[in-house]
Amino acid sequence: MATIKLFDKSFEPYLPEALILEKIKELGQLLNQDYAGKKPLFIAILNGSFMFAADLFKEVTIEAEICFIKLASYKGTKSTGHVITAIGLDTDITDRDVVILEDIIDTGKTLNEFLPQLRNQHPKSLKVAVLLHKPDATVFPVDIDYCCFSIPNKFVLGYGLDYDGFGRNIREIYQLQE
Ligand code: XMP
Ligand code: MG
């Protein structure tokens, strides 16, 4: 794996595909144990998590559903500030064991705002599984139940993650060269 250039930035290899897939397999096995007999509903957050969700769901051998949503953020009124809404959540999550699949938790702002909205719909349980977490960047608290990799506070791309829309199709994860 060599350094790649995208627009004005250079990225160096960070997590090889085999390691990513190994961690995802372990996570799948853990979920198979933890959710046996529970028919969980996985909710993957697009766009970044599409590859993680697909590879993880292949490792899930118990009965389970998956759906995909997009989060849109709006500038609300002065009192509501910035508002996040889910697009495409057409499955009733009431009384369901829900697992959110997210590509990366950075500041934590997105899930910190979005999880309470889901809790309002009274799922039986609500857990979070992420491929990547940048603990040094996280300022908005999020309870992360399952995490494949804790990474340093550097921009990453590949394996679903993008830089200005590009790089999602790279099979490995690259890190911004500084
Ligand atoms: P917060 O800060 O709300 O951010 O936890 C989560 C979202 O920010 C994007 N993000 C990244 N995307 N490389 C990316 O390609 C990164 O290093 C990165 N850090 C944050 C991502 O969309 C994630 O869902
Ligand atoms: Mg994302």
Side-chain angles (χ1 to χ4, degrees):
M1 294 198 288
T3 298
I4 54 167
K5 214 171 171 277
L6 205 54
F7 305 112
D8 54 329
K9 299 208 174 352
S10 293
F11 294 85
E12 56 196 11
Y14 179 49
L15 300 173
E17 183 183 23
L19 181 62
I20 298 169
L21 294 177
E22 190 186 304
K23 281 279 179 189
I24 289 177
K25 189 172 189 169
E26 285 172 19
L27 174 57
Q29 287 168 349
L30 192 56
L31 292 167
N32 288 335
Q33 288 172 23
D34 291 357
Y35 286 89
K38 293 186 169 172
K39 300 188 182 174
L41 170 65
F42 292 91
I43 301 179
I45 301 177
L46 296 173
N47 293 329
S49 73
F50 77 97
M51 218 175 263
F52 169 51
D55 283 334
L56 178 63
F57 206 52
K58 284 185 254 179
E59 302 295 343
V60 172
T61 51
I62 55 169
E63 266 189 278
E65 279 186 89
I66 190 166
C67 68
F68 297 83
I69 64 167
K70 254 191 131 152
L71 295 181
S73 66
Y74 299 96
K75 255 203 171 139
T77 61
K78 237 187 191 164
S79 59
T80 55
H82 159 266
V83 186
I84 286 184
T85 55
I87 302 171
L89 184 56
D90 49 14
T91 311
D92 185 9
I93 68 165
T94 312
D95 271 334
R96 296 294 304 268
D97 288 299
V98 174
V99 183
I100 299 295
L101 304 181
E102 175 66 306
D103 52 353
I104 183 165
I105 293 188
D106 190 324
T107 65
K109 189 169 172 45
T110 312
L111 287 187
N112 177 276
E113 276 188 44
F114 182 56
L115 293 177
Q117 293 183 28
L118 287 181
R119 282 198 193 95
N120 280 341
Q121 297 178 43
H122 307 291
K124 188 188 240 172
S125 67
L126 180 61
K127 297 213 168 169
V128 173
V130 298
L131 178 66
L132 307 168
H133 178 213
K134 292 178 179 169
D136 295 341
T138 307
V139 287
F140 300 91
V142 176
D143 288 328
I144 303 169
D145 302 282
Y146 304 96
C147 174
C148 293
F149 300 96
S150 279
I151 64 169
N153 189 9
K154 285 188 185 176
F155 191 82
V156 286
L157 100 166
Y159 197 75
L161 292 112
D162 71 304
Y163 173 46
D164 243 1
F166 289 85
R168 295 194 196 276
N169 51 336
I170 297 168
R171 303 175 82 108
E172 306 83 22
I173 290 175
Y174 280 70
Q175 198 173 51
L176 180 66
Q177 208 167 39
E178 284 166 319

